[in-house]
Amino acid sequence: MSKKVIVVGGVAGGATAVARLRRVDDHAEIIMMEKGEFISFANCGLPYYVGGTIEDRESLLVQTPEAMESRFNVSVRTFNEVTAIDREKKLVEVKNLKTGEVYEESYDTLLLSPGSVPLKPPIPGIDSPNIFTLWTIPDVDQIKSYVTENDIREVAVIGGGFIGIEMAENFRELGISVTIVEMLDQVMAPIDFDMAQIVHQHLKDHGVNLVLGDGVDHFENQGKQTDVVLKSGNRVKADMVMLSIGVRPQTELAKAAGLEVGPRGHIVVDDYMMTSDENIYAIGDAIEVVDYITKTKTAVPLAGPANKQGRIAANNILGDKKEKYNGTQGTSIAKVFDISVASTGHNEKMLKRNGLELRKDYLKMVLHPKHHVDYYPGAEAMTLKVLFDSKGKILGAQGIGGEGVDKRIDIIATAIRFGATVYDLKELELAYAPPYNGAKDPVNFVGFFGENILEGMIDLVFADEVALQDKENTVFLDVRGPEEVEARGKIAGSVNIPLGMLRNRLSELDASKKIVVYCIMGVSGYVATRILKQNGFDKVYNLAGGYQSYSIEFCQEGSDLSSCGGHVYEKAEFTEAGEAE
C-alpha cells in the first residue's frame, strides 16, 4: 500500500525532498504545503538581483508549482499554511490563506522543512518603512521597488554576515554610499579576526564605511531618512536600512505539536532526520545537526546541507534501507567585490570556545600562495589559514583571495570529510598547467608546511603574538631587502639582515636571545630559520605569514603606527623566491 507524505515548506530542503520522494516511489501520494507563493527559489541570488548582476527576476525561480506538479505528479498547495499537527490522529490543520478556509489533511509521514526567518529584535523604530530584511522573493521585490522609486544615496547595513556583505557590495554597484554596522569586532563570523582584517581592508578599498564593535541602540525615523543611533551615541544617517543580523528557526509548529526541541529552539532529529515522533521527519535551517568535527549538536543554516538532508529524509521515508546524515562541517563561500572568502570546518574562535589551546591542543599555519605560477600572466595571491591537531588531522581552513580560493577550500573540505591529515595533502596529485596551477598546488604547500611544523622543522610566532614577546630578550630579524623595508614598513625595533647576507653576518646576532624571523610572506623566513637552527641558534621562530600577515592585521589605521614603522598597509602584489619545503 502506497504511503501518503505531506511536506511542509519548500525552497532548498523541502523541494529537494519532494523530487526525491517521487523518484523513490512513483505511486506515493505526495502533498507539498507552502504558506507563500514560491516553492523553490534562489535565495542566495537575491542580493545580485538588487544590484543588477542578475537582470531577470524569473531566473531566480528554480521550480514553479505548475512545473513541479506536472513533472513529479504531486499536489503543490501554495498559500496553504499548516497551523497545527495532531500527532495522535496523524492529521495536519491547514489554512488556505487566499480563501480563509481551514481544513484537515491526513498523513502517513510528515516532513517539516519550515526554514528560518531573519531576526528582527524589538529595537525602537525598527518598523520604520525604509527598514528592510532580505529572505524571500517578496522581500527582494520590495527592496528593488524602493530603490527604483526613491532617491537612495546612503544605505546602512546592520550586520556584517554573508547577506549583509553581499548587499553592501550590490548597493555599491548601484553607486550608493554604504555603511556596515557590526556589533562584533569583525565581519563574517565563519572566519577569524586575522583573516577578517583582509576583508575589512578590501571593503574600505571599495568605498564601504565600516563601524565595528558598536551595536544599534534605536532607530529614529526622519521621514524618508532614518538615523541609526548606536550604543556609542554615534549616528549613521541613511535613506534606507538593511537588517542582516542573523536568522531564527521557524519551529513554532513543531513546538506546539510537542516535538522535542534543543536549547536554541531547533527541532531535534536523529541520524536519519527523524524527530521525536517516528512519523515526523525534519530538515533544513529549523533542525539541530551534528558538528562533523566534534560530533556535538549545533545548527548550521546553509543551503547545501539542507538539500542533502532533503534527499536523505526522502530515502528514509520511502526507501528500503535507512541512510544516515553524518553531520555538517559548515563549508561556505562568499564573493566580496573581487575576492572570495571561504571556510570549512572549525575556525580558531570555535576551538578556543571549546577549551582548546594553541600548541597544546591544536596547531595552525598561515600562508600566501599564488593561484597559479608567477610567470604565467594573471597570478592572484590568496591567504590560507589551516588548523590541525598534533597528529595532523585537519580541523578547519579559511581562504581569502582572488582566483582559485574556492578550489583549495573545496579540496581541504573533502580531505576533512574523509579524515585526511596534512601529511595526506602533500601527497595529493592535482591537475597542473601554468594557467591553472603550479606543479606544487597551494594545497600541497599546506601539506609541506604542516609536516615541517609537526616534525619540528619550524616553530612559529603569529602576528597577534608579536606584541607579547619579551622585548629585552627577543630579536626581530627582518630578512627582506632594504628597498622592501623602506617601501612597506617594518616591525618596530627590527634588525635587518637580507637573507642573501645572513650566513656571513651570523656574528651580529645574539644566540642567547629568542629570534623571530620575518620576510614578506613567510617563505624566506623559513629558509632563514633553517640556516640559523643549523648554525647554533636554538630559539628561532618564523613569523607566520610574514610581514604581509602582520601589516594587514595591525597597520590599517593611521592613528597608531608606532609598531609598523609608520606605514599604513597598502594592497600590494608580493613575490618571493623560495619554496616551503
Side-chain angles (χ1 to χ4, degrees):
M1 183 178 175
S2 296
K3 279 189 173 181
K4 181 178 180 180
V5 182
I6 295 178
V7 178
V8 181
V11 194
T16 295
V18 167
R20 184 62 179 175
L21 285 165
R22 177 54 72 220
R23 293 189 183 105
V24 172
D25 188 341
D26 198 50
H27 302 289
E29 183 180 356
I30 303 169
I31 302 172
M32 173 186 275
M33 302 286 191
E34 170 57 55
K35 65 181 178 182
E37 179 182 358
F38 305 97
I39 61 167
S40 183
F41 60 91
N43 49 359
C44 295
L46 299 181
Y48 301 100
Y49 176 60
V50 173
T53 300
I54 296 173
E55 298 179 359
D56 183 8
R57 177 182 179 277
E58 296 305 306
S59 67
L60 296 170
L61 305 180
V62 178
Q63 185 71 268
T64 65
E66 297 77 18
M68 178 160 277
E69 284 189 334
S70 63
R71 182 171 184 177
F72 296 105
N73 188 27
V74 298
S75 174
V76 178
R77 303 181 190 177
T78 56
F79 297 110
N80 276 246
E81 181 180 7
V82 175
T83 54
I85 303 169
D86 186 329
R87 291 167 52 192
E88 185 176 342
K89 296 181 180 178
K90 297 173 69 173
L91 296 171
V92 291
E93 180 184 88
V94 186
K95 182 177 182 179
N96 186 316
L97 300 180
K98 281 191 169 181
T99 66
E101 174 197 3
V102 176
Y103 64 96
E104 290 182 338
E105 192 73 56
S106 65
Y107 64 85
D108 293 312
T109 305
L110 184 65
L111 175 58
L112 302 178
S113 179
S116 55
V117 292
L119 283 172
K120 199 171 180 182
I123 299 172
I126 201 168
D127 293 322
S128 297
N130 61 345
I131 298 179
F132 299 88
T133 58
L134 178 63
W135 204 242
T136 65
I137 294 289
D139 291 341
V140 82
D141 288 341
Q142 287 182 349
I143 293 166
K144 189 86 168 175
S145 295
Y146 196 85
V147 171
T148 302
E149 295 168 7
N150 294 275
D151 182 21
I152 305 299
R153 299 185 181 184
E154 295 179 299
V155 171
V157 176
I158 313 303
F162 281 63
I163 293 177
I165 295 289
E166 289 166 353
M167 287 304 299
E169 174 182 347
N170 280 279
F171 282 126
R172 288 296 296 140
E173 293 293 331
L174 295 173
I176 297 171
S177 175
V178 177
T179 298
I180 294 176
V181 177
E182 170 54 61
M183 185 170 61
L184 302 177
D185 63 355
Q186 68 163 86
V187 299
M188 306 195 80
I191 61 175
D192 291 314
F193 176 80
D194 54 345
M195 299 293 281
Q197 282 284 66
I198 303 172
V199 183
H200 298 158
Q201 184 63 47
H202 195 70
L203 289 167
K204 293 172 189 174
D205 289 344
H206 284 80
V208 176
N209 305 308
L210 274 182
V211 178
L212 300 174
D214 203 353
V216 177
D217 183 78
H218 64 278
F219 299 100
E220 291 183 4
N221 185 253
Q222 314 285 353
K224 287 202 168 184
Q225 265 206 332
T226 288
D227 280 5
V228 183
V229 184
L230 306 179
K231 298 287 187 182
S232 62
N234 294 327
R235 290 171 178 256
V236 176
K237 291 188 177 295
D239 302 308
M240 183 176 180
V241 177
M242 284 298 310
L243 292 178
S244 178
I245 54 178
V247 297
R248 65 169 180 82
Q250 292 196 90
T251 53
E252 294 80 7
L253 183 65
K255 291 175 183 176
L259 297 176
E260 183 182 357
V261 297
R264 293 171 57 194
H266 297 81
I267 303 169
V268 173
V269 296
D270 65 10
D271 292 342
Y272 304 97
M273 317 314 299
M274 184 188 293
T275 70
S276 52
D277 185 318
E278 65 179 5
N279 297 306
I280 303 176
Y281 289 69
I283 57 175
D285 291 4
I287 68 167
E288 278 190 347
V289 294
V290 171
D291 183 310
Y292 188 77
I293 307 294
T294 63
K295 308 305 179 187
T296 57
K297 291 287 189 175
T298 186
V300 184
L302 290 172
N307 274 279
K308 296 175 183 67
Q309 293 157 13
R311 178 185 174 90
I312 289 170
N315 288 345
N316 293 334
I317 290 168
L318 293 180
D320 294 329
K321 60 181 182 180
K322 295 295 183 182
E323 180 182 356
K324 283 187 176 183
Y325 181 70
N326 291 315
T328 301
Q329 66 193 69
T331 305
S332 62
I333 190 167
K335 176 182 176 293
V336 183
F337 293 97
D338 50 4
I339 64 171
S340 299
V341 181
S343 66
T344 187
H346 280 195
N347 57 39
E348 196 170 5
K349 293 175 295 187
M350 296 168 69
L351 297 180
K352 289 179 177 178
R353 280 200 300 268
N354 290 334
L356 277 64
E357 296 181 25
L358 179 61
R359 298 184 180 90
K360 177 184 175 184
D361 303 303
Y362 71 94
L363 302 165
K364 65 177 177 178
M365 68 179 88
V366 179
L367 59 161
H368 304 284
K370 295 291 183 68
H371 91 285
H372 64 51
V373 292
D374 269 324
Y375 64 79
Y376 188 88
E380 296 191 25
M382 69 181 75
T383 299
L384 295 175
K385 178 177 181 177
V386 182
L387 307 166
F388 54 105
D389 68 16
S390 60
K391 294 183 179 178
K393 180 183 176 183
I394 305 164
L395 304 175
Q398 300 158 51
I400 300 177
E403 291 288 329
V405 168
D406 56 339
K407 172 180 176 179
R408 275 68 192 206
I409 291 298
D410 281 345
I411 293 170
I412 296 173
T414 304
I416 291 173
R417 181 60 59 161
F418 291 110
T421 67
V422 292
Y423 293 109
D424 296 314
L425 297 185
K426 71 188 183 76
E427 299 289 340
L428 292 180
E429 183 178 334
L430 302 171
Y432 160 62
Y436 303 101
N437 206 341
K440 298 168 186 173
D441 187 88
V443 173
N444 295 136
F445 277 111
V446 170
F448 299 147
F449 200 173
E451 180 183 50
N452 289 340
I453 294 169
L454 290 168
E455 300 299 325
M457 293 281 286
I458 187 171
D459 295 306
L460 297 173
V461 164
F462 296 92
D464 60 353
E465 297 176 321
V466 167
L468 304 177
Q469 303 304 308
D470 179 356
K471 292 180 175 59
E472 295 297 319
N473 296 295
T474 303
V475 175
F476 287 96
L477 175 60
D478 186 341
V479 297
R480 298 174 295 164
E483 299 84 3
E484 183 67 33
V485 176
E486 179 66 25
R488 300 295 173 198
K490 64 180 182 179
I491 296 174
S494 298
V495 174
N496 181 220
I497 303 177
L499 179 61
M501 301 179 183
L502 183 59
R503 288 184 178 87
N504 297 323
R505 295 175 61 179
L506 293 175
S507 61
E508 298 177 28
L509 298 171
D510 186 346
S512 68
K513 291 188 175 183
K514 179 178 183 177
I515 298 177
V516 179
V517 184
Y518 70 93
C519 59
I520 299 172
M521 297 185 291
V523 180
S524 295
Y526 167 64
V527 176
T529 63
R530 296 305 303 155
I531 293 171
L532 292 168
K533 282 196 171 189
Q534 294 174 84
N535 282 277
F537 294 82
D538 298 324
K539 295 177 285 186
V540 183
Y541 297 79
N542 192 18
L543 178 61
Y547 193 72
Q548 168 78 330
S549 286
Y550 178 82
S551 62
I552 199 167
E553 188 167 353
F554 294 106
C555 307
Q556 291 193 24
E557 304 295 338
S559 56
D560 181 16
L561 294 176
S562 59
S563 63
C564 301
H567 288 256
V568 176
Y569 172 80
E570 294 180 4
K571 183 179 179 181
E573 285 297 320
F574 290 88
T575 58
E576 189 170 57
E579 296 177 339
E581 294 184 55

